[in-house]
Amino acid sequence: MMDRSILDTLMEAAYQQALKGYNEGGLPIGSVLADRRGIVLAVGHNLRVQTGDPTAHAEVACIRSAGRRRDWPDLVLVSSLSPCVMCTGTALLYKIPEVVIGENENFLGAEDLFAARGVRVTNLQHAGCKELMARFVRERPDLWNEDIGVPPGAKPA
């Protein structure tokens, strides 16, 4: 387990990525990949709207920007929001053992899959992450539902 001050610093970096996505007209979700000392190796934010790529979620964009690596089991993935099943699967594929999330009140991702595979999940309950995501869901519910795969006219699960 990393020191709380390091986790807070990494979460702030993920939150800044989320703000970047929001300010670009996209989804406010950000991610950071770091080593155990807290050194940031890669960052990413949701680029689905900006690029038209439905797989360009923040965690996937972050992992993609990290490039080819062999040290995945020594890294920590930080996300402003609880990761969806696709992003969870990507982290599981590379055997990232620790995931830190900003919040899971606006969206509960696939944390059960992390638990089933022994991945340590820490929820920091970051007020800024909660507020930004809640604002986005209020302002752009159709775009949010599109991002999480809810068909038009259907209610989110």
Side-chain angles (χ1 to χ4, degrees):
M1 181 78 163
M2 297 176 82
D3 179 81
R4 177 60 191 245
S5 65
I6 293 172
L7 293 181
D8 288 340
T9 299
L10 294 173
M11 184 54 64
E12 183 58 30
Y15 175 69
Q16 291 302 316
Q17 287 294 308
L19 282 173
K20 184 175 182 179
Y22 181 81
N23 290 333
E24 291 174 355
L27 285 96
I29 305 168
S31 187
V32 171
L33 189 68
D35 69 13
R36 296 273 173 198
R37 296 169 295 166
I39 296 172
V40 173
L41 305 170
V43 299
H45 61 284
N46 188 302
L47 291 165
R48 202 179 56 75
V49 171
Q50 298 90 317
T51 64
D53 177 355
T55 68
H57 286 202
E59 299 86 349
V60 172
C62 181
I63 288 170
R64 189 177 291 143
S65 75
R68 295 176 62 188
R69 310 186 67 88
R70 302 290 300 268
D71 61 345
W72 300 108
D74 298 322
L75 305 180
V76 176
L77 182 65
V78 180
S79 180
S80 63
L81 185 66
S82 180
C84 73
V85 70
M86 177 180 68
C87 297
T88 298
T90 303
L92 291 174
L93 174 67
Y94 291 107
K95 297 178 178 36
I96 297 171
E98 184 172 357
V99 175
V100 180
I101 62 174
E103 64 109 349
N104 64 2
E105 291 178 15
N106 288 293
F107 178 76
L108 177 59
E111 294 174 37
D112 57 333
L113 296 178
F114 283 135
R117 297 288 289 271
V119 173
R120 181 175 37 256
V121 176
T122 303
N123 185 344
L124 297 183
Q125 299 292 345
H126 186 278
C129 292
K130 288 182 197 180
E131 178 184 310
L132 182 61
M133 195 69 224
R135 178 177 2 144
F136 175 78
V137 171
R138 280 191 313 273
E139 292 173 352
R140 312 271 318 262
D142 288 343
L143 183 55
W144 172 238
N145 287 337
E146 178 188 326
D147 191 66
I148 59 173
V150 177
K155 288 190 172 196

